[in-house]
Amino acid sequence: MRPLAAALLLCLAAPAAATKVAGVDLPDTALVGGKTLVLNGAGVRSKFIVKVYVGALYLEQKSGDAAAILAADAPWKVSMRFLRDVEKAKIIGAFKEGFENNSRADLPALLPGLEAIDAAIEDLKSGDELAVSYVPGTGATVTGPRNRSAHVPGPVFAAALLRNWLGAKPADGDLKKGMLGAR
């Protein structure tokens, strides 16, 4: 076989490169509750003009419909790869603000879950990952960069977390669009 043909075959046989957003490589799949999820979309969470993290949403099937994603009782994962150092208190505060903006009616029921995940979250450094995943019938799990995790049973807390990114008043509209596959 000619060298050029062999090189072409190797390129075609190689796995597809991961998606890159703001210099962060994102895997094309994630394993949650024994199911392989696909990268639905990703974007950058900015606060004012400061890039905070790259957020990626993984689902069983790609969808650009936020309402359908929120209504489905299906596994999902949100991965946040931090682009800068962020204090734990700011992360917890952002989750609470998202609950106030998107899940106000459920706020009293959500606050104990927020206290529970406080144990998994710590000050994050640039390059760290904070992941939030949901498995139907089990609940939400928040996993920090050193594999510290906390679990909140049931779908209510998980749905409220997901609304922080995909709800009517997301923390970052451009990130929402990116997670829904628009780039």
Side-chain angles (χ1 to χ4, degrees), residues 14-30:
T19 300
K20 189 173 248 183
V21 175
V24 175
D25 288 322
L26 301 170
D28 292 328
T29 61

Side-chain angles (χ1 to χ4, degrees), residues 13-47:
T19 300
K20 189 173 248 183
V21 175
V24 175
D25 288 322
L26 301 170
D28 292 328
T29 61
L31 189 63
V32 174
K35 294 194 176 200
T36 299
L37 307 183
V38 296
L39 178 62
N40 193 68
V44 176
R45 165 67 167 113
S46 296
K47 180 87 172 183

Side-chain angles (χ1 to χ4, degrees), residues 86-135:
V86 179
E87 297 170 356
K88 171 183 179 168
K90 290 189 186 241
I91 297 164
I92 295 295
F95 281 144
K96 185 176 181 194
E97 182 180 340
F99 292 161
E100 291 167 350
N101 289 336
N102 294 287
S103 305
R104 185 170 295 279
D106 295 329
L107 193 57
L110 298 173
L111 293 179
L114 194 57
E115 290 175 21
I117 67 168
D118 186 78
I121 299 174
E122 54 198 84
D123 290 348
L124 295 163
K125 304 289 182 201
S126 179
D128 283 348
E129 178 186 25
L130 182 65
V132 181
S133 59
Y134 171 70
V135 176

